[in-house]
């Protein structure tokens, strides 16, 4: 597969990366088979996280014995303090079975509170700098769901790579974040290129993203056939057409006010409901094992039952998403999901 220059890292990475969330749902044997199959397709860029349960361990088994320099490995820590962050780096190295990780990210720096924590004295950023000094990490990175906050962090000039959501619906990063990353020579990982599993037209998704030559999408897959299709589309070099643009506008119209962009402008809710998690619960259900989805979102979904439909969230939402209606829909979906898995 074609390799592209990844900003100031100097690395050459496959133009499609492999996202490590969905393999949590697979057995070890099946996950290893998928990862090895993906690598055989020419994908050399693997992105996972310390918090993705056994994803790192499964990847570690799959890559054992391969020349380390043949792969570019990225992982993340959600720790906010230096001590825990460094513990996570060591755990990632052990799980992956490698001596260093190419790109290590401060995971999910999406709020002012998190920003302050990671950059304060004794914060996770100090841990990242220390891990690089020790040779355990090569390049500093961060991921986020907040575009304005991400731009602020990028301008600090402390990072070589940024990872943000980007697909043909969540396209705000195209206006400022992607041009800024290019200006700063930062590598850009396009998180959720299929909307966390909610955009089913792979061809439309990849063709849209192919317009941006400085980004690398990292779709999460759990079947080798999915990556085979994605690679075929990426290598076909079919240009993005006016018909594609018209199809996207049609999809946007159909979604209307039913798509949450996870910008978090709706927060805080008077009933303390974490709205974006509730509205994106279908993505959790599609990509994660039931136990992890339940542990992460079970209480959040219970809290969603406290919605009084005050519509304060709708007033604050720049996209005018019909939040109360979606909360009701997602609760019905969640209850069905829990019932189906409880009997397994």
């Amino acid at each position: 597969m074609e390799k592209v220059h990844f900003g100031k890292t100097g690395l050459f990475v496959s133009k499609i990366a492999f996202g490590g969330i969905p393999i949590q749902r697979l057995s070890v044997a099946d996950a290893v088979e998928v990862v090895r199959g993906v690598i055989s397709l020419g994908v050399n860029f693997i992105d996972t996280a310390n918090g993705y349960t056994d994803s790192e361990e499964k990847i570690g088994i799959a890559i054992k014995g391969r020349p380390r320099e043949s792969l570019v490995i990225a992982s993340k820590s959600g720790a906010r303090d230096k001590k825990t962050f460094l513990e996570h780096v060591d755990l990632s190295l052990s799980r992956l079975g490698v001596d260093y990780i190419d790109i290590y990210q401060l995971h999910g720096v999406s709020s002012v509170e998190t920003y302050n924590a990671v950059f304060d004295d004794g914060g996770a950023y100090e841990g990242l700098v220390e891990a690089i000094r020790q040779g355990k990490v090569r390049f500093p990175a961060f991921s986020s769901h907040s575009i304005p906050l991400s731009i602020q962090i990028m301008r600090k000039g402390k990072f070589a790579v940024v990872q943000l959501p980007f697909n043909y619906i969540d396209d705000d990063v195209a206006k400022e974040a992607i041009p800024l990353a290019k200006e700063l020579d930062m590598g850009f990982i396009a998180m959720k290129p299929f909307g966390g599993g909610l955009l089913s037209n792979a061809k439309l998704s990849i063709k849209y993203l192919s317009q941006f030559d400085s980004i690398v999408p990292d779709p999460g897959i759990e079947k080798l056939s999915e990556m085979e299709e994605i690679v075929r589309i990426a290598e076909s070099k079919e240009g993005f057409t006016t018909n594609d643009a018209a199809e996207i506008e049609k999809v946007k119209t159909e979604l209307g006010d039913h798509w949450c962009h996870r910008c978090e402008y709706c927060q805080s809710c008077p009933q303390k409901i974490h709205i974006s998690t509730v509205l994106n619960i279908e993505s959790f259900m599609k990509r994660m094992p039931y136990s992890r989805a339940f542990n992460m979102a079970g209480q959040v979904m219970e809290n969603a039952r406290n919605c009084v439909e005050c519509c304060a969230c709708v007033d604050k939402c720049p996209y005018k998403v019909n939040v109360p209606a979606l909360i009701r829909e997602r609760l019905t979906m969640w209850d069905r999901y829990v019932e189906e898995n409880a009997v397994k």
Side-chain angles (χ1 to χ4, degrees):
M1 186 174 205
E2 181 184 350
K3 306 298 187 293
V4 295
H5 186 260
F6 202 52
K8 67 180 74 173
T9 68
L11 298 167
F12 282 86
V13 302
S14 49
K15 62 194 296 186
I16 299 291
F18 167 79
I21 290 181
I23 61 169
Q24 297 174 93
R25 297 158 61 103
L26 303 179
S27 69
V28 172
D30 287 345
V32 168
E33 184 178 357
V34 167
V35 175
R36 288 177 176 169
V38 165
I39 293 171
S40 73
L41 292 172
V43 175
N44 74 334
F45 193 3
I46 297 173
D47 180 53
T48 182
N50 175 274
Y52 297 165
T53 60
D54 60 0
S55 176
E56 287 179 326
E57 291 171 311
K58 289 169 175 172
I59 290 168
I61 296 169
I63 66 174
K64 187 176 181 179
R66 290 182 178 273
R68 177 64 187 85
E69 65 277 8
S70 69
L71 298 172
V72 174
I73 299 174
S75 196
K76 319 176 189 72
S77 167
R80 304 314 182 201
D81 65 281
K82 177 180 179 179
K83 180 178 181 294
T84 308
F85 185 90
L86 286 170
E87 290 171 353
H88 284 184
V89 170
D90 286 340
L91 184 57
S92 292
L93 289 169
S94 173
R95 288 170 167 174
L96 289 162
V98 296
D99 295 326
Y100 65 89
I101 294 169
D102 297 284
I103 296 163
Y104 210 86
Q105 303 163 59
L106 301 176
H107 195 173
V109 186
S110 303
S111 68
V112 173
E113 293 77 15
T114 299
Y115 173 92
N116 289 336
V118 299
F119 288 111
D120 276 352
D121 290 343
Y125 178 72
E126 289 186 3
L128 180 55
V129 172
E130 177 68 12
I132 292 171
R133 187 190 67 78
Q134 294 173 349
K136 296 176 179 180
V137 171
R138 296 182 67 193
F139 302 104
F142 75 94
S143 69
S144 179
H145 284 88
S146 169
I147 308 308
L149 190 59
S150 298
I151 289 169
Q152 182 180 343
I153 296 171
M154 290 164 71
R155 291 193 184 280
K156 291 169 81 71
K158 296 179 180 291
F159 297 92
V161 177
V162 58
Q163 182 170 18
L164 300 174
F166 185 34
N167 53 65
Y168 64 77
I169 303 296
D170 293 316
D171 57 0
D172 285 354
V173 297
K175 299 169 187 173
E176 186 174 0
I178 288 177
L180 179 60
K182 201 164 187 177
E183 175 188 328
L184 298 173
D185 198 24
M186 295 178 69
F188 189 105
I189 304 173
M191 181 201 312
K192 296 181 174 62
F194 301 142
L198 303 181
L199 300 175
S200 58
N201 189 328
K203 188 171 185 178
L204 190 61
S205 296
I206 297 300
K207 287 181 70 177
Y208 171 78
L209 294 175
S210 68
Q211 300 175 97
F212 303 87
D213 60 3
S214 59
I215 71 158
V216 176
D218 74 330
I221 62 103
E222 59 181 310
K223 296 178 182 177
L224 183 58
S225 59
E226 295 170 338
M227 186 59 85
E228 288 171 339
E229 179 186 13
I230 292 166
V231 168
R232 276 198 303 271
I233 296 166
E235 293 193 320
S236 71
K237 300 189 184 300
E238 289 185 41
F240 186 74
T241 66
T242 54
N243 286 339
D244 295 325
E247 180 63 24
I248 285 175
E249 289 307 311
K250 180 181 176 183
V251 173
K252 287 183 174 180
T253 300
E254 290 172 351
L255 289 171
D257 63 357
H258 275 55
W259 182 272
C260 172
H261 293 257
R262 297 188 70 169
C263 66
E264 303 286 348
Y265 289 123
C266 57
Q267 301 295 154
S268 63
C269 167
Q271 305 304 317
K272 303 191 183 306
I273 298 168
H274 198 281
I275 295 167
S276 66
T277 299
V278 176
L279 268 53
N280 286 278
I281 196 62
E282 186 177 0
S283 178
F284 280 65
M285 291 156 51
K286 287 187 173 183
R287 297 182 301 145
M288 296 180 182
Y290 170 71
S291 59
R292 182 157 195 256
F294 187 85
N295 289 337
M296 290 182 66
Q299 189 56 57
V300 173
M301 297 306 293
E302 284 305 307
N303 290 347
R305 302 186 197 280
N306 297 326
C307 177
V308 296
E309 303 194 13
C310 67
C311 291
C313 49
V314 178
D315 292 338
K316 290 185 283 187
C317 176
Y319 303 97
K320 297 307 172 190
V321 171
N322 189 344
V323 176
L326 285 186
I327 287 176
R328 292 195 302 271
E329 288 181 15
R330 299 305 189 260
L331 280 169
T332 299
M333 182 185 298
W334 176 255
D335 289 342
R336 187 183 311 119
Y337 173 70
V338 171
E339 182 180 357
E340 290 172 353
N341 281 276
V343 299
K344 287 183 180 178

